[in-house]
Amino acid sequence: MNNGLFDADVWVKAWKEDPNAMANKFKTMGMDPLRSFDHKAKVFNEEVFSSAGRDRSERIISWMEGQGVNFEGLTVLDVGAASGGFTVPFIERGAKVTAVEPNIPLSELFQHNTARFAPGQAELVHEAFEDIDIAAKGWLNAFDLVFVSMCPAVFDWESAERVISCARQYCYISTSAGVQEHSLMNEVLTRLTGRETHAKSSDMAYLMQLLYLKGYSYESIVTRETKSKELSVEAAIEEVIEVLPLHHIGGEEESRKIVAEYLHTAYPDQKVVIRQGGRYGKVLIKLQDLNMYSRAAAAKQ
């Protein structure tokens, strides 16, 4: 009657085989997650360390602290650390961080951003997490907190378990919780396909259901995050063409023609304001203190 709702094996198989799961979408596009950020690294770094970017990281870290995470003296494994947007505030709070980042431009920016800290506060491992022998590294149950924010290192249940296995106390994972919102893509797709976009899959839904079925204790939250940017019409055309494969739309030449004609007509001033974001899920898995955290009780200790 429940059609596998409470069968973990059904969910493990479904996540791995779902063509709309993010990792499978990337494979369909022929996208290399290790190189896809090469041309965006500088802009990404500027966004992460902007006022809005720092506010976002502070909100997430404060949420974890509200669940009992104390970063003073904590050992952290930051998987997919990028240019250090979370590593830096972790260290500023007193943590010692081992960061994993395979992308070369982002790794260089990470080293620049963490150069001011004392030796040993930030260690960079320049490898893809999927390629690391975590047992040989001595990483099994080795870190107080494993932190994975919007990183393709978690793409199915096996990879999620691999990440969790490195943690002693906590494991934080965030991922998409629905269709990615992109105001310009929403406009364009109706003209290319004749239909609106709707969520067909959610890595967060698979993760949450499997954490529940596998007996983990955790705190979770789903939020909607958005940001805006302004592009020229020509830059907007290139952004649309780059993203179209995620929607399984080919025919680049014909699509480019339709997109260009629409944008030049709809935006005569040659400026396109794009609002993008979506729903994102965050989960903090607790591996030691499994009961509900109480700030009042902690304050009395």
Side-chain angles (χ1 to χ4, degrees):
M1 188 70 178
N2 61 44
N3 296 318
L5 181 62
F6 297 104
D7 187 336
D9 291 339
V10 169
W11 284 83
V12 169
K13 184 174 185 291
W15 191 3
K16 184 180 288 291
E17 297 178 355
D18 186 347
N20 291 302
M22 192 54 64
N24 291 330
K25 275 193 171 186
F26 287 162
K27 290 177 184 177
T28 300
M29 293 171 61
M31 191 173 177
D32 179 2
L34 301 186
R35 301 300 303 274
S36 62
F37 257 90
D38 282 7
H39 66 295
K40 299 178 181 178
K42 183 178 179 181
V43 172
F44 175 82
N45 180 64
E46 290 172 353
E47 289 181 353
V48 164
F49 285 97
S50 68
S51 176
R54 290 299 295 259
D55 285 347
R56 173 182 172 272
S57 63
E58 284 298 314
R59 289 198 305 271
I60 291 171
I61 295 171
S62 294
W63 177 74
M64 289 193 291
E65 290 175 327
Q67 312 307 322
V69 179
N70 181 358
F71 286 90
E72 182 63 41
L74 210 70
T75 57
V76 180
L77 177 65
D78 188 355
V79 179
S83 60
F86 284 99
T87 288
V88 168
F90 288 161
I91 296 174
E92 290 173 342
R93 281 169 159 80
K96 179 179 179 181
V97 181
T98 299
V100 178
E101 179 49 59
N103 181 270
I104 294 174
L106 287 173
S107 294
E108 292 172 349
L109 289 164
F110 177 94
Q111 291 174 322
H112 172 76
N113 292 332
T114 58
R116 61 187 171 92
F117 296 117
Q121 288 299 108
E123 176 191 355
L124 176 63
V125 178
H126 184 60
E127 295 181 65
F129 183 77
E130 305 92 289
D131 297 334
I132 295 174
D133 185 335
I134 57 176
K137 279 272 193 184
W139 284 5
L140 291 173
N141 304 114
F143 299 91
D144 297 316
L145 166 67
V146 175
F147 184 86
V148 190
S149 177
M150 302 302 296
C151 174
V154 174
F155 52 86
D156 60 14
W157 179 245
E158 183 180 349
S159 62
E161 281 191 312
R162 193 165 183 270
V163 163
I164 295 169
S165 73
C166 296
R168 276 197 299 262
Q169 296 186 57
Y170 306 100
C171 181
Y172 170 95
I173 301 173
S174 69
T175 188
S176 173
V179 67
Q180 296 296 292
E181 300 171 18
H182 191 293
S183 60
L184 181 57
M185 289 303 301
N186 291 342
E187 293 177 43
V188 169
L189 286 173
T190 57
R191 286 155 179 82
L192 292 174
T193 67
R195 62 181 185 274
E196 296 182 355
T197 58
H198 300 283
K200 297 179 180 179
S201 182
S202 167
D203 289 86
M204 189 65 183
Y206 287 116
L207 177 63
M208 293 296 295
Q209 182 69 0
L210 282 164
L211 287 172
Y212 170 73
L213 293 176
K214 297 285 187 176
Y216 284 96
S217 295
Y218 54 88
E219 303 271 357
S220 64
I221 185 172
V222 174
T223 61
R224 184 174 181 272
E225 310 287 341
T226 60
K227 61 182 179 180
S228 297
K229 63 181 177 181
E230 182 179 288
L231 297 178
S232 67
V233 164
E234 294 306 319
I237 292 170
E238 295 306 318
E239 177 153 325
V240 168
I241 296 302
E242 182 180 351
V243 176
L244 280 181
L246 276 174
H247 300 274
H248 307 292
I249 297 176
E252 181 178 323
E253 185 175 340
E254 181 62 24
S255 296
R256 181 182 290 273
K257 180 181 178 181
I258 294 171
V259 170
E261 288 178 353
Y262 168 72
L263 290 181
H264 282 295
T265 301
Y267 298 91
D269 62 354
Q270 303 298 297
K271 295 179 181 178
V272 183
V273 176
I274 299 173
R275 296 176 302 281
Q276 62 187 117
R279 295 174 74 213
Y280 300 95
K282 306 160 184 65
V283 59
L284 181 67
I285 305 159
K286 299 185 174 184
L287 303 172
Q288 288 187 9
D289 297 324
L290 306 184
N291 58 307
M292 182 181 293
Y293 178 73
S294 167
R295 292 189 183 186
K300 294 178 181 179
Q301 294 178 357

